[in-house]
Amino acid sequence: MCGIIGMVTKTAVNQQLYDGLTVLQHRGQDAAGIATYEDGRLYLRKSNGLVRDVFHTRHMVNLRGRMGIGHVRYPTAGVSSTAEAQPFYVNSPYGITLAHNGNLTNAAQLKQELFEDDLRHINTESDSEVLLNVFAHELQSLHKFRINAEDVFRAVARVHERCSGGYAVVAMISGVGIVAFRDPYGIRPLVYGHRETEQGREYMVASESVAIDTLGFELVRDVAPGEVVFISKAGELSTQQ
């Protein structure tokens, strides 16, 4: 069991992600991480420990931007090391960070396919890194310089075809937006909500509605089994099951 969160807001997102992870802390106490995006750059901080121990003022200041994802880890695959704290990052295509709650039952097979067929190297024992590279490969297979919601839906459909097990995922594509999806059986929980501000509507996804309530968002509903939620960096939401 792990906790995941993702947000696209009109103001700095770092403190809101921190607060959201704090109320999801019961889902994992092994490690915590936050990734944000601003002006073409990803900012990442992750380490072993509780949220309050991983993030200090010097780290929070460096987590810039109005779009980001976060994770608290309870290790069910791999080992308890800082290297396997999430979110994971891969630079191609676009620059993608991903955080994951669940287990892939065919991770070993996928790892071999990624190396032999997709020419991708997996550096840890975490099935989250495997899932990230499957998603990244499917996006790269589209051979598009700029992608939209339909491209994301197409890539996640291929992820569902290749990945077996239970998983709830939140990913951030640099310069594009936030992607969240559940496995086709809906084994792992994921919800989303929105909040009205003077600057416009903001969206967030999380493992549990307690994070949405705490941050003053209104719960919309569960993400359906096999559904993808895409929030563009401009704050526009699209969904497809």
Side-chain angles (χ1 to χ4, degrees):
M1 184 170 76
C2 298
I4 60 174
I5 188 171
M7 302 177 72
V8 177
T9 61
K10 304 300 182 182
T11 57
V13 77
N14 53 357
Q15 186 64 48
Q16 298 176 85
L17 288 169
Y18 177 96
D19 293 342
L21 288 181
T22 300
V23 296
L24 293 175
Q25 185 74 85
H26 60 281
R27 296 189 64 86
Q29 296 86 41
D30 180 71
I34 290 175
T36 63
Y37 170 87
E38 183 181 61
D39 296 334
R41 282 199 63 182
L42 284 166
Y43 299 90
L44 175 64
R45 166 64 182 171
K46 61 179 183 175
S47 188
N48 283 359
L50 300 175
V51 173
R52 69 185 184 197
D53 299 322
V54 172
F55 302 102
H56 301 287
T57 301
R58 65 184 183 276
H59 306 125
M60 296 297 288
V61 168
N62 288 329
L63 291 169
R64 305 168 189 166
R66 296 178 293 178
M67 177 170 77
I69 64 174
H71 184 266
V72 286
R73 182 172 191 249
Y74 177 88
T76 54
V79 296
S80 297
S81 73
T82 302
E84 298 199 1
Q86 298 183 42
F88 280 106
Y89 166 73
V90 67
N91 72 333
S92 180
Y94 316 116
I96 305 170
T97 53
L98 179 143
H100 158 235
N101 169 38
N103 290 97
L104 299 184
T105 56
N106 63 336
Q109 174 193 335
L110 286 169
K111 190 172 182 179
Q112 185 174 355
E113 289 177 4
L114 285 165
F115 182 70
E116 295 179 356
D117 301 331
D118 303 344
L119 309 180
R120 287 180 171 269
H121 173 69
I122 305 300
N123 203 51
T124 70
E125 296 302 316
S126 173
D127 56 355
S128 302
E129 189 186 11
V130 171
L131 205 158
L132 167 60
N133 277 273
V134 171
F135 179 52
H137 174 76
E138 297 307 330
L139 277 177
Q140 192 162 341
S141 298
L142 299 174
H143 302 294
K144 294 185 69 173
F145 179 63
R146 290 187 175 85
I147 57 173
N148 56 31
E150 291 301 319
D151 298 320
V152 171
F153 297 153
R154 194 174 301 116
V156 175
R158 283 287 297 140
V159 171
H160 287 329
E161 290 174 10
R162 295 182 65 179
C163 296
S164 301
Y167 48 88
V169 175
V170 62
M172 180 170 63
I173 307 172
S174 299
V176 178
I178 299 287
V179 184
F181 56 91
R182 290 177 79 188
D183 66 85
Y185 298 99
I187 296 170
R188 300 292 179 168
L190 193 64
V191 298
Y192 77 92
H194 58 66
R195 178 174 67 186
E196 301 297 338
T197 71
E198 292 181 358
Q199 295 94 340
R201 178 172 285 188
E202 302 174 330
Y203 289 99
M204 72 173 289
V205 295
S207 295
E208 297 181 20
S209 60
V210 62
I212 288 175
D213 297 338
T214 299
L215 294 175
F217 282 71
E218 178 185 345
L219 177 67
V220 175
R221 60 177 174 84
D222 286 7
V223 176
E227 186 178 23
V228 191
V229 173
F230 173 69
I231 311 164
S232 72
K233 68 173 183 177
E236 299 166 347
L237 182 135
S238 308
T239 66
Q240 187 175 97
Q241 189 173 13

